[in-house]
Amino acid sequence: MQPAGFRKLTGFVSVGVAGAALLAASPALAAPFAATAISGAAPYTMALGAAGFGLVATLLALKWRREAEAAQLDAGEKLGAMRAALDEFEGLLAGMPEVTIIWRDTGIEPSVIGPINTLLPGENRPHAVLEFRSWLEVEAARALAARLTDLRIEGRVFETSVTARDGRIIRATGRLVGGAAVVRLRPSGANVEPPLKGADLTRLPSPAEAQAILANLTIPAWLRDKDGLLIYTNAAYLHFTRTLGLKGERGTAPDIFDAQTRERHLKAIEDAADTIAFTEEHALAGGLELVLFPLSGGSAGYCYLPVARAKPAETENAEPDLGHLTTVIDALATPIAVFDKRQQLTHYNTAYANFWGLDTAWLNTEPNEKAILDKLRTQGALPAETDYRDWRGKHLMSYALTAPREVPWYLPDGRCANVIAAPATGTGGVIYVFEDMTERLALETRHNALMHVQRETLNALTEGVAVFGTNGRLKLHNPRLSMLWKLPMNTLGGHPHIDDIARACAEAFPEDGRRIWGDLKQRIIDLNPTRSDTKGRITRADGRLLDYAVVRLPDGQTMMTFVDVSESANYERVLKERNEALIAADRLKDTFVQNVSYELRSPLTNIIGFADLLASGEVGPLSDKQRAYTDYIRASSANLGLLIDNILDLATVDAGIAQLNPEVLDIATLIDKARAGLDATFTGGEEKVDLAVEIEDDLPTFVADGTRIVQVLYNLLSNAARFSDPGSQVRLKVSSRGNERIAFAVEDDGVGIPEDVRNAMFQRFEGQSVEGRQRGAGLGLAIVKTFVNLHGGSVLIEGRQPRGTRVTVIIPSNTALAQNAGE
């Protein structure tokens, strides 16, 4: 919108221009004027209009400046009034016995208004109130933090009460005011002077009665025994030690005095007749005064901050002294570094420098943490991050922590560091603890791998495995245990007691489940130190057989294994029965063979005798047909006699009572005896085989059992004749194999023995039907192999090309020496 003056000026110029245009455009009006007059007046008219416009614009600009100056003066006065009101409101809030915390949208950190020592006695840092866990109970701190989150994010107002560590009740109210989240914290009562001080302090009869009083104090208080050792501390004392950064051993509170100071206190208590109160010159850090007084069997004490001495304005910006931590930090093997609120390194130990490979001279210059991080990144020692600046920014947010935070760092060199960032109480800085987790993670990895292998091994076993702890509960099992006893895996996975397993088995096996597990329980819960491992067999009513073993483990636990042997037991029973039957049959066979052999020999002798008598002609001449029958009788009787002798010999060998009678033998004589036996097997009208004998010269002296060797040669020749054509040639060759062995090789040109029949030739009573003559004792080469083995020799049977068979017997030249060497 244009100002009024500007509109007037514009109208004036417009009217002048419009008049000139009208004169030029209207011939009637322009008639009285000459052309020269018009052309000479136009420049003056335009100059006059421009001058008028500039004058009006200048006047209006001066007017507008005066109006702006007046408005600025009025705004300044109003702003000063608002600032005065704000200062007045802040003064009122600071004077109230409460603390107000304001979170504005534009602010990074909240504003804290009010006396902090009303909530945290002895504390002057405004933002210390935000460390809820340091002065509130754990549950109260968690609940208040949750309500603050709901207030700031969702706008949920609240009003509640929380409990401080010293037992006070704090009223907390949260509201949204002008777009800002405001929380007010008001204690249930203001700070009071120590209840016991000066002349009002009296002796208490016992530490127990003193403890009841000290427990209600909101200032640090403690009890000591006669040796000066702490026996009780109240909640305010524990909070005070946490503020100092002190830590005690497991289950004990830290002592704020060293041994020398405690001895001085004890001596002062013993020497004084009245209560001992330390003045300012003996005050602790922070201006706390110490009060000690004796008790029966010990002493008590407390410390407090006098109201007159508290000067928040002077101590608000003071840096608390962390010098007492230096000795402790240097003595630790864990890398530790302390940074102040300006992010400058103030303390570190040798382990920190060694862990990161940093120069101690450079660290002593107190570098900024950003510089340290950048240096470590240049050295390739920090975790690999895509956006390093973003990662560093998140890490440096540790300075805003109100509670410890743990973050794992996986370093490029394979190490893993658990970085613990905790706010340094009293400095506004951060304490970093770098815990090397490399070895621990490696151990956990190996442990998990071993556990995985153990689990997979147990699951793959065919035995049911159960491990019970000393309390009788199942610690370890595998699926096979569930299958054998029909127990659900989810039941076993709950680590049930053995009584629960017994009840479950009683339901699965109503006949004998309870009885079986009742017996097993006695073996598992046996606490006798001299107990030993046991094993046995369980026969269940369902017919299953289970072998169990109870093993005592070194850690006191008991392992029990179950193996289902039902099938193997059945196989064992069948094999046992069959073995017994075979033994009985073999015994019966031996008895039968012996009886039959001896029973057959007597009538056979008579048959042979009468046949010989008939053949001799003493009872009268025989016709040709009668003589042929007589020859058949004699040949058959000879074969039968030989069969009986072989059977008896085999029975003797099987019984283990066969013995050799070694003697010096003539090989030619042995062959003649075997030839005579072979000729006797042919009847008068049957064509014999042609036996060709070849004996090598210079054979070694042959010492053996002559009777057995004749039987061996006879069976070799008989076997060759059996598979040869009538009238064909059978060759016997005797040669030496060195000076210690003699070989007897029998060859024939018969049809040969098939490969599958050769193995059967050494088996007893195996009759194989092949093309050729079927003649012999009927035992194949079994007799040959038996007697050759008795002499320590060997038998080899092989086919010849294009037809025929060769059987080679190799016998030691001196059987007596061979037997002695074997023994």
Side-chain angles (χ1 to χ4, degrees), residues 717-779:
L717 297 175
S718 176
N719 183 74
R722 178 184 180 190
F723 293 97
S724 299
D725 296 330
S728 63
Q729 187 181 57
V730 174
R731 294 171 293 280
L732 172 59
K733 182 178 180 180
V734 183
S735 61
S736 64
R737 299 291 178 88
N739 294 325
E740 298 179 354
R741 293 182 177 273
I742 297 177
F744 298 87
V746 177
E747 298 178 353
D748 64 70
D749 298 325
V751 295
I753 303 175
E755 184 69 27
D756 56 341
V757 178
R758 294 176 190 174
N759 296 329
M761 297 300 294
F762 295 101
Q763 299 178 7
R764 303 177 185 179
F765 306 106
E766 285 287 343
Q768 298 293 335
S769 178
V770 295
E771 182 182 356
R773 303 175 63 181
Q774 304 297 318
R775 178 182 293 108
L779 291 178

Side-chain angles (χ1 to χ4, degrees), residues 170-423:
I170 307 298
R171 191 67 178 170
T173 304
R175 294 288 187 271
L176 288 178
V177 180
V182 180
V183 174
R184 295 193 309 166
L185 301 174
R186 178 190 294 270
S188 59
N191 289 346
V192 296
E193 291 293 322
L196 304 174
K197 62 182 293 186
D200 298 331
L201 190 62
T202 60
R203 293 179 180 270
L204 297 179
S206 67
E209 296 178 359
Q211 179 177 338
I213 297 177
L214 299 181
N216 296 321
L217 297 181
T218 59
I219 56 178
W222 60 87
L223 293 176
R224 298 182 184 275
D225 59 13
K226 62 181 181 179
D227 297 324
L229 299 179
L230 287 175
I231 58 176
Y232 170 74
T233 58
N234 65 355
Y237 179 92
L238 296 176
H239 172 71
F240 179 62
T241 56
R242 284 194 295 269
T243 303
L244 295 178
L246 301 179
K247 293 184 179 180
E249 298 180 358
R250 185 182 299 272
T252 61
D255 203 319
I256 60 177
F257 302 107
D258 56 20
Q260 183 177 0
T261 304
R262 292 198 300 268
E263 292 179 0
R264 189 174 72 253
H265 292 172
L266 287 177
K267 187 176 184 304
I269 292 175
E270 293 175 358
D271 295 342
D274 201 352
T275 302
I276 299 154
F278 284 83
T279 58
E280 282 188 0
E281 61 185 39
H282 299 290
L284 299 175
L288 292 176
E289 284 191 356
L290 173 65
V291 176
L292 299 176
F293 51 92
L295 298 175
S296 59
S299 63
Y302 62 88
C303 55
Y304 67 97
L305 176 65
V307 177
R309 196 178 302 162
K311 298 180 180 180
E314 298 179 2
T315 60
E316 182 175 1
N317 297 323
E319 290 287 349
D321 184 16
L322 295 179
H324 62 282
L325 294 177
T326 303
T327 305
V328 178
I329 291 176
D330 291 340
L332 294 177
T334 303
I336 297 178
V338 181
F339 294 85
D340 60 15
K341 62 183 179 182
R342 298 184 302 274
Q343 301 184 7
Q344 300 295 128
L345 180 66
T346 59
H347 299 83
Y348 71 93
N349 58 1
T350 305
Y352 173 79
N354 295 336
F355 184 82
W356 293 111
L358 297 174
D359 185 14
T360 55
W362 181 71
L363 293 176
N364 290 335
T365 62
E366 298 185 357
N368 186 276
E369 186 178 5
K370 290 183 180 180
I372 295 177
L373 292 176
D374 293 342
K375 186 178 184 64
L376 292 177
R377 179 172 181 260
T378 303
Q379 297 175 355
L382 290 181
E385 295 290 340
T386 305
D387 191 344
Y388 167 71
R389 293 185 177 273
D390 180 67
W391 175 86
R392 186 184 65 180
K394 292 179 180 179
H395 170 72
L396 294 178
M397 290 179 64
S398 302
Y399 292 88
L401 293 175
T402 59
R405 179 186 66 181
E406 297 185 17
V407 178
W409 285 8
Y410 299 97
L411 306 181
D413 58 0
R415 293 181 298 171
C416 177
N418 185 34
V419 182
I420 304 173

Side-chain angles (χ1 to χ4, degrees), residues 509-529:
F509 304 95
E511 298 86 355
D512 53 359
R514 185 177 299 276
R515 175 187 59 79
I516 293 174
W517 276 92
D519 297 339
L520 295 176
K521 177 182 176 181
Q522 298 302 320
R523 293 175 171 83
I524 293 175
I525 65 175
D526 184 10
L527 300 180
N528 185 356

